[in-house]
Amino acid sequence: MTLELSSKQKLFFIRMTENQEQAKQGFDILLKRQDFAGFFDHLKASGLFSPEHNSGPVPAEDPGYVHIPYWSALDYLSAVAKQADENNDIDLAKKVMEVIRSVSGYRNSEDHKIDNHHTWRIFAEIFGLLPTNVITTQDLDLIPNWLDSRYDRGLVGRALSMGALRRFLDSHLPEDRKKAVIILDYCTTIKWAEDESLGRNRKKPVSVVDEHWLKEIIQLHASNLGAKAGKQSTRVFLKRIEEIFGKNFGDLPTYMSRPAVEDHDQNHTWEYIINAVVEGFRDILASWVDHEPENATEFVGALLTDENEMARRIGIYILNQKWPVLGKLYSTVISPEFFNPRHIHELYHLLRDRFIEFNDSQKEATFQAIQKLPRPAEHENPDRFLKYHQRNWLSAILGKGYEPADLWFRALNADPNLGPLSKHPDFHYYSEMLAGHGSSPYSAQELLAFAENKSLIERLNGFQPPGSWRGPSVEALVDTLEEAVSIHPCGFLYLLPEFLKAKRPYQYGIIYGFKSLWNSSEAKQQNLDWNRAWEKLMEFFELLIGNDMFWKEPVIQSQDLTPNRDWIPEVIAEFLHAGTRKDAKAYPPELLDRAFSLIKILLENLEPVDEPEKDAMFQAINSYRGKTIEALFSHTLRVCRISDEAKGSHTEAWDKIKPVFDAELEKCKNNNFEFSTLSAAYLDNIHYISSGWLETGFKKIFPHDYQSNFICAIDGLAYSPANKRIYKLLADHKILDNALRLEGLREQARERLIERIALACLWGDEPIDSPRFNYLFESEQIDDLRDVGRLFYNVRDQELNPEQIERILMFWEKCVKWAENLSEPPKLLLSDLSRLICYITEFTDREKNLLLAVAHYIKDGYNEDIFFKGLHRLVEQDPEKISMVLGKVLEARVPNYDYEDMLKNLIIRLAGFGRIEYALMHADRASKLPGFLQLYKQLSEGDKKTC
């Protein structure tokens, strides 16, 4: 029902016609009313549904890009369509359809159609909302125009699939099901595109609907289409099959593009369109046979003799799958011609799956057809070729109770000229790709059985990989050994001494198996007594790496990543580290001395890296020696904690370990880079272990005279927590000063260093006019200064006292004064500083000058949102000065987007504080932003309430 308009409402509609922004606001307001549909006729009379409002692409700010505007009427039309259906209001639904027809058929002054995928998607959705009888078959002819967009190929198809197609199929009316088939036809339309990769005169098929959504349409609706519109929808897909595998496809075998009609890992995932069409035809046809077997049988029979090869293959596949219903069709097609090698996969499976169900005449006719296969006219050895294919076909019916076929197969298979039968006789080509380590010669259960009968080591050592790419491998056997350990760890624990006689890969495998079990959840640990297990493991480690011959053994690196001797120290170090990391889960204290001896053996025999890498920490934690050093630190910390708990001190315990630390530190002279890196990362831990050792050895941890070690230590320092006591040591020993002047530091390491200096500033330990800060300014370290500013901004949510906030503002002030003397302003630094507005609470001339100094540059770091938010907070204190700052911002650049209307609301607040002239000036400058021209008009009229 059309509502009568008040004078105010008439004015409302007039304003909606002024511009798109007003129209959008108007539609939004109307949709909040219960009676929104009653204004439809007035909106139409006002021209708000006119096709001219549906804009095509417009140039975006970035050259070469376009923006697709969203027509503000769309959500309203969609809501009206939904209500029309709920109320069965056919007249209202027809009005919506009139708009859709008018807009869809519109051409601009150059007689070009409008390309707006947003509009076409909403129209497609509306088709699924309106009463089905309002949409005619002629209306469906609008769909091709909607699908033909340069900028989107998926959303219209998906909208039709989720709405109209589903709804028409669910209808009991025959005409609606016909409409569903028309939509299917349009959504599966194929176009052809040039593709040089296919060779001369070859084109590739391209669907009008994006491949992903096309596949979804088929998966969602194939069964229902077959059940309710089987005859019509299968003809749609047969047409697609004929298009794709017709003249454009050429004379190539169809199995080269789709090896199997069923879902199979040999099918090519990249053949999106081919796969979608084959699967759609297959599934719809199968559903049709299930629901209308009598009508579908004739269609399948015609497929079996169709001129199109792929159609025949799909027919053979369906014949096999629906044999109880369609089996009689086989007798009509048995012939030598039917045993076409291009049918190999589907026909082979039909014979293999159904031959035993054939009647006697079908079996005999099949056998005779294979016997009568023609000799190829153009082949260098036609007899061999013929026998090869006859044997292939016979292998499908071998052992199915037909003796003549079995005898003939055995005779052909004995012919040495034919070679062995293919492992995949149902394919002309079969590709495989192995991942991981391949297969294992034994299963985990077999290894457990070998362990029971004491033959495990003999079996492991005796395995020789065959050398073929498909064959079992040592690596896979090691993986299986690890699995067996997890299944029955207690059994393998008592076998550990036997593994001293095992080859190195299997020694590694059993250690890694126990290590994985240690790291797993308690539920997977089979109630293993780890105290007993660790004792056995320590004994095994001692006998293994405590033997000098172990370290003298030559190591041969293999390309296939077979574990060798070098892998064993690494996994032992990792295991020892894991065993002391947490007191709640650690090996018994009684074993600590034995573990320490093992760590010393590893340190004595593992060579450090020759040269440090750029990322020294990554290198350290991944090198054999670095993992041992981590085990040393973890071990030492546990020893100290236990001693503290037992004796209240760990001095005596540390004295036993200290010589190892001393020896390692002495090596940090253009050597032992892992220790330099890790000791700096563990500074806080070392302070707990021995603050005296840390203080006396600090210069050796950061050796100025050995630059490579110094750089590694600075890199490790990045991973050490920042605190005042460590900072004092760094400052007192001039580590910070030297590091700041170093070239070659990793970027992240330098950032963490600068952050320490910034934190020290907040602690009061590093004044803004300190030598270190002065160096940053004097040497124009702009990136470092930006890092300082970033840290100050990132701690904004912490409780900073007034003195700390004052230090931040002093830094800001110093940056501004320093920047004034540069030849080029540091734009990004000044933009970063603008974010520090969050610390301004009182607005005096000092704060005004700080804001004015950075206002021009906030655009360079895209900090407008943060800055405007800060101005909002301060505007009440001094609107005039805030207006001055805002003017500086807009003078530099008007933002591309007004996030959460911050700029608009700021201008409105300025007007509210009586600064209407400033508000007008700012609104005028920002008039290109949506809604700001209207804001300017409202301010001009003095309509504060509207604002």
Side-chain angles (χ1 to χ4, degrees):
M1 182 181 70
T2 302
L3 300 173
E4 292 293 329
L5 296 182
S6 66
S7 57
K8 188 174 180 180
Q9 288 173 332
K10 290 177 182 178
L11 179 61
F12 174 84
F13 282 106
I14 292 172
R15 286 192 172 184
M16 281 185 69
T17 62
E18 291 178 359
N19 55 55
Q20 283 297 317
E21 183 70 19
Q22 285 287 82
K24 180 183 182 306
Q25 291 179 2
F27 281 118
D28 290 343
I29 291 170
L30 289 175
L31 284 173
K32 293 175 182 177
R33 296 174 61 111
Q34 293 291 326
D35 57 354
F36 64 88
F39 296 98
F40 189 97
D41 290 338
H42 299 298
L43 290 165
K44 184 178 180 182
S46 299
L48 288 164
F49 297 142
S50 175
E52 290 85 355
H53 295 309
N54 178 44
S55 172
V58 296
E61 185 172 306
D62 295 330
Y65 290 86
V66 297
H67 167 64
I68 312 295
Y70 187 88
W71 185 23
S72 56
L74 292 174
D75 293 341
Y76 179 84
L77 289 169
S78 183
V80 171
K82 185 176 181 180
Q83 188 175 103
D85 183 60
E86 291 172 351
N87 298 335
N88 196 28
D89 189 337
I90 302 302
D91 289 338
L92 183 60
K94 287 180 178 179
K95 292 176 182 179
V96 175
M97 271 308 309
E98 287 175 7
V99 174
I100 291 176
R101 292 174 190 131
S102 171
V103 174
S104 299
Y106 176 74
R107 295 294 186 270
N108 62 19
S109 58
E110 299 175 352
D111 199 32
H112 293 161
K113 67 178 184 181
I114 305 302
D115 188 353
N116 189 313
H117 60 82
H118 298 304
T119 302
W120 307 149
R121 171 178 62 84
I122 298 299
F123 283 0
E125 289 177 359
I126 290 173
F127 266 20
L129 297 174
L130 291 171
T132 59
N133 61 342
V134 172
I135 303 170
T136 68
T137 54
Q138 289 77 18
D139 291 330
L140 298 180
D141 292 339
L142 300 173
I143 292 175
N145 182 49
W146 301 347
L147 291 170
D148 187 23
S149 173
R150 290 180 57 192
Y151 305 101
D152 182 86
R153 293 176 46 239
L155 296 178
V156 170
R158 184 174 189 273
L160 290 168
S161 170
M162 302 304 293
L165 182 56
R166 186 193 300 272
R167 196 165 189 190
F168 286 140
L169 279 174
D170 289 343
S171 171
H172 66 281
L173 300 174
E175 56 266 29
D176 282 345
R177 296 182 181 182
K178 290 179 182 178
K179 294 173 188 175
V181 175
I182 293 172
I183 293 176
L184 177 72
D185 194 4
Y186 284 137
C187 287
T188 59
T189 298
I190 302 296
K191 295 184 177 182
W192 292 89
E194 300 287 344
D195 191 335
E196 294 180 1
S197 66
L198 298 176
R200 289 186 62 188
N201 301 322
R202 290 289 307 279
K203 295 182 178 181
K204 70 172 182 178
V206 178
S207 60
V208 293
V209 173
D210 178 82
E211 294 87 353
H212 171 81
W213 298 119
L214 176 62
K215 187 170 184 177
E216 184 180 270
I217 290 170
I218 291 167
Q219 290 176 338
L220 283 174
H221 302 294
S223 178
N224 214 12
L225 283 163
K228 297 181 177 180
K231 182 176 182 179
Q232 300 95 326
S233 53
T234 49
R235 294 194 181 281
V236 169
F237 271 91
L238 178 58
K239 182 169 65 174
R240 300 291 174 251
I241 291 288
E242 290 169 345
E243 287 178 278
I244 292 176
F245 295 100
K247 61 180 181 179
N248 284 310
F249 191 78
D251 194 38
L252 293 172
T254 57
Y255 59 70
M256 292 186 70
S257 293
R258 176 77 184 197
V261 168
E262 80 272 19
D263 296 334
H264 198 286
D265 58 15
Q266 289 299 294
N267 292 333
H268 308 151
T269 56
W270 60 90
E271 296 280 14
Y272 303 107
I273 306 305
I274 287 175
N275 292 336
V277 170
V278 169
E279 291 163 16
F281 189 23
R282 175 197 72 192
D283 295 346
I284 291 172
L285 181 53
S287 177
W288 186 26
V289 173
D290 288 340
H291 290 85
E292 294 184 345
E294 292 184 6
N295 293 336
T297 298
E298 182 180 353
F299 183 83
V300 176
L303 278 186
L304 295 174
T305 58
D306 197 280
E307 292 183 359
N308 188 281
E309 178 185 312
M310 181 54 78
R312 295 196 302 273
R313 287 178 57 201
I314 294 171
I316 296 168
Y317 170 82
I318 294 296
L319 173 61
N320 182 16
Q321 296 301 306
K322 307 298 177 183
W323 180 263
V325 175
L326 304 174
K328 61 186 178 182
L329 293 175
Y330 181 66
S331 299
T332 66
V333 292
I334 303 175
S335 68
E337 293 74 24
F338 192 61
F339 283 78
N340 187 330
R342 294 189 173 198
H343 301 161
I344 181 67
H345 184 73
E346 286 68 40
L347 186 52
Y348 188 96
H349 281 257
L350 172 66
L351 297 176
R352 188 195 66 184
D353 299 344
R354 302 298 181 180
F355 187 81
I356 201 167
E357 301 176 44
F358 287 3
N359 58 40
D360 290 342
S361 63
Q362 288 174 326
K363 290 179 179 178
E364 183 179 354
T366 300
F367 184 74
Q368 290 178 358
I370 297 172
Q371 281 184 318
K372 294 177 182 178
L373 289 176
R375 294 167 77 252
E378 299 177 359
H379 198 277
E380 58 184 17
N381 193 335
D383 289 333
R384 180 181 178 280
F385 183 84
L386 174 61
K387 290 178 181 179
Y388 180 87
H389 281 284
Q390 286 174 323
R391 182 182 64 174
N392 258 22
W393 291 120
L394 290 169
S395 70
I397 59 178
L398 181 66
K400 298 290 194 298
Y402 195 72
E403 188 63 21
D406 293 352
L407 291 173
W408 188 18
F409 174 84
R410 286 195 285 270
L412 290 174
N413 206 39
D415 187 344
N417 293 323
L418 297 184
L421 180 69
S422 167
K423 289 186 177 181
H424 304 282
D426 55 329
F427 287 103
H428 290 284
Y429 309 99
Y430 196 92
S431 61
E432 285 183 286
M433 182 174 67
L434 294 182
H437 296 150
S439 61
S440 170
Y442 306 116
S443 68
Q445 295 300 329
E446 286 175 312
L447 293 184
L448 291 170
F450 298 152
E452 285 284 328
N453 64 26
K454 312 298 183 186
S455 66
L456 177 61
I457 305 303
E458 181 183 353
R459 295 275 190 169
L460 293 173
N461 288 345
F463 169 65
Q464 294 294 329
S468 64
W469 73 282
R470 294 173 57 94
S473 66
V474 171
E475 305 96 293
L477 182 53
V478 171
D479 290 344
T480 307
L481 173 61
E482 294 166 9
E483 180 187 354
V485 170
S486 69
I487 295 172
H488 188 41
C490 294
F492 281 94
L493 190 62
Y494 289 95
L495 270 180
L496 273 174
E498 294 297 315
F499 271 83
L500 292 170
K501 297 179 287 187
K503 291 181 178 179
R504 300 302 186 204
Y506 310 119
Q507 291 175 342
Y508 168 84
I510 193 165
I511 297 171
Y512 192 85
F514 277 104
K515 176 180 170 291
S516 298
L517 195 62
W518 172 260
N519 291 333
S520 66
S521 64
E522 290 186 13
K524 295 182 178 180
Q525 297 190 16
Q526 306 287 328
N527 297 317
L528 180 63
D529 181 356
W530 273 106
N531 289 346
R532 178 63 178 153
W534 272 108
E535 186 178 354
K536 286 279 189 181
L537 287 163
M538 293 282 189
E539 182 180 349
F540 180 62
F541 297 160
E542 289 163 347
L543 293 170
L544 188 59
I545 66 173
N547 186 338
D548 289 342
M549 296 306 296
F550 176 87
W551 298 103
K552 293 177 181 178
E553 176 185 310
V555 177
I556 300 174
Q557 301 289 349
S558 62
Q559 294 183 346
D560 54 8
L561 297 179
T562 301
N564 57 34
R565 189 214 69 184
D566 279 354
W567 291 40
I568 294 171
E570 177 185 23
V571 73
I572 290 175
E574 290 177 338
F575 207 170
L576 294 175
H577 185 198
T580 54
R581 189 175 294 173
K582 296 179 181 178
D583 288 343
K585 184 182 180 184
Y587 54 74
E590 296 79 18
L591 297 176
L592 284 167
D593 287 344
R594 294 173 69 178
F596 186 48
S597 297
L598 289 169
I599 291 171
K600 288 193 289 186
I601 291 172
L602 292 170
L603 289 173
E604 289 166 5
N605 289 279
L606 290 171
E607 293 292 328
V609 295
D610 295 330
E611 294 289 338
E613 294 179 355
K614 186 75 172 175
D615 191 338
M617 191 63 176
F618 180 83
Q619 183 183 39
I621 63 176
N622 287 287
S623 72
Y624 299 156
R625 205 165 198 283
K627 291 181 178 182
T628 305
I629 292 169
E630 283 206 285
L632 171 65
F633 275 108
S634 183
H635 171 90
T636 303
L637 288 165
R638 176 155 167 75
V639 168
C640 292
R641 290 193 300 267
I642 290 173
S643 181
D644 285 341
E645 187 176 341
K647 301 178 181 180
S649 168
H650 59 259
T651 304
E652 184 180 340
W654 163 245
D655 287 342
K656 294 179 181 179
I657 301 173
K658 178 176 174 291
V660 175
F661 277 77
D662 290 339
E664 290 298 316
L665 196 55
E666 283 300 317
K667 296 175 187 175
C668 295
K669 298 172 181 177
N670 291 331
N671 197 357
N672 208 12
F673 303 114
E674 298 100 324
F675 192 81
S676 290
T677 306
L678 290 167
S679 59
Y682 279 88
L683 284 180
D684 217 35
N685 301 109
I686 297 174
H687 186 274
Y688 159 70
I689 294 167
S690 174
S691 59
W693 188 88
L694 177 62
E695 290 175 10
T696 57
F698 207 77
K699 283 190 175 181
K700 291 184 179 180
I701 295 174
F702 296 92
H704 299 301
D705 296 334
Y706 301 97
Q707 185 168 312
S708 293
N709 291 85
F710 185 83
I711 291 174
C712 287
I714 296 298
D715 202 74
L717 179 65
Y719 297 89
S720 177
N723 57 55
K724 294 176 66 118
R725 62 172 175 263
I726 297 299
Y727 190 83
K728 187 175 187 308
L729 287 170
L730 291 167
D732 290 349
H733 291 285
K734 299 191 180 302
I735 307 302
L736 298 168
D737 302 85
N738 289 343
L740 286 177
R741 289 161 174 79
L742 261 183
E743 293 184 5
L745 277 184
R746 191 164 58 93
E747 183 180 347
Q748 291 83 349
R750 188 173 182 92
E751 285 178 8
R752 300 292 88 77
L753 195 70
I754 297 300
E755 287 174 2
R756 284 178 187 272
I757 295 173
L759 283 171
C761 175
L762 293 178
W763 298 331
D765 295 337
E766 192 73 63
I768 294 297
D769 59 353
S770 72
R772 278 176 280 278
F773 268 112
N774 286 339
Y775 169 76
L776 297 181
F777 285 106
E778 290 166 4
S779 58
E780 299 186 9
Q781 301 293 332
I782 295 174
D783 287 339
D784 292 343
L785 294 171
R786 291 187 68 197
D787 289 336
V788 174
R790 268 194 287 267
L791 182 127
F792 286 162
Y793 177 70
N794 289 336
V795 298
R796 65 193 180 279
D797 294 328
Q798 300 184 23
E799 293 184 9
L800 301 183
N801 60 45
E803 290 80 10
Q804 290 172 321
I805 292 174
E806 174 59 22
R807 293 182 195 119
I808 292 173
L809 296 179
M810 287 173 63
F811 170 75
W812 184 354
E813 207 163 28
K814 184 165 183 174
C815 287
V816 168
K817 290 179 180 178
W818 166 76
E820 289 173 355
N821 297 317
L822 298 179
S823 57
E824 286 289 330
K827 296 179 180 179
L828 291 175
L829 170 61
L830 293 170
S831 183
D832 288 347
L833 291 172
S834 71
R835 299 185 298 178
L836 302 182
I837 191 175
C838 61
Y839 293 109
I840 294 179
T841 54
E842 294 184 3
F843 198 69
T844 67
D845 284 342
R846 178 201 190 192
E847 286 77 16
K848 179 198 71 172
N849 292 333
L850 288 176
L851 295 178
L852 285 173
V854 299
H856 190 82
Y857 304 102
I858 64 170
K859 66 184 187 307
D860 295 284
Y862 302 100
N863 290 312
E864 292 100 331
D865 302 341
I866 297 170
F867 200 67
F868 291 158
K869 186 176 182 180
L871 294 180
H872 260 283
R873 184 170 47 82
L874 299 169
V875 66
E876 189 174 351
Q877 292 191 38
D878 197 327
E880 188 166 344
K881 289 176 182 175
I882 291 297
S883 177
M884 188 184 307
V885 175
L886 180 58
K888 193 81 168 176
V889 174
L890 298 179
E891 180 184 300
R893 187 186 70 177
V894 175
N896 296 324
Y897 175 67
D898 186 15
Y899 178 69
E900 294 184 349
D901 289 335
M902 283 190 179
L903 176 58
K904 181 185 289 185
N905 291 330
L906 180 57
I907 294 173
I908 291 172
R909 290 197 71 191
L910 282 172
F913 286 118
R915 300 302 188 271
I916 188 68
E917 68 280 10
Y918 297 132
L920 283 167
M921 177 181 66
H922 300 320
D924 184 47
R925 279 181 173 168
S927 59
K928 291 185 178 179
L929 284 172
F932 276 72
L933 184 59
Q934 182 62 25
L935 174 63
Y936 180 83
K937 291 179 181 178
Q938 291 170 343
L939 291 172
S940 299
E941 296 167 0
D943 191 356
K944 307 296 190 304
K945 185 178 289 188
T946 304
C947 291

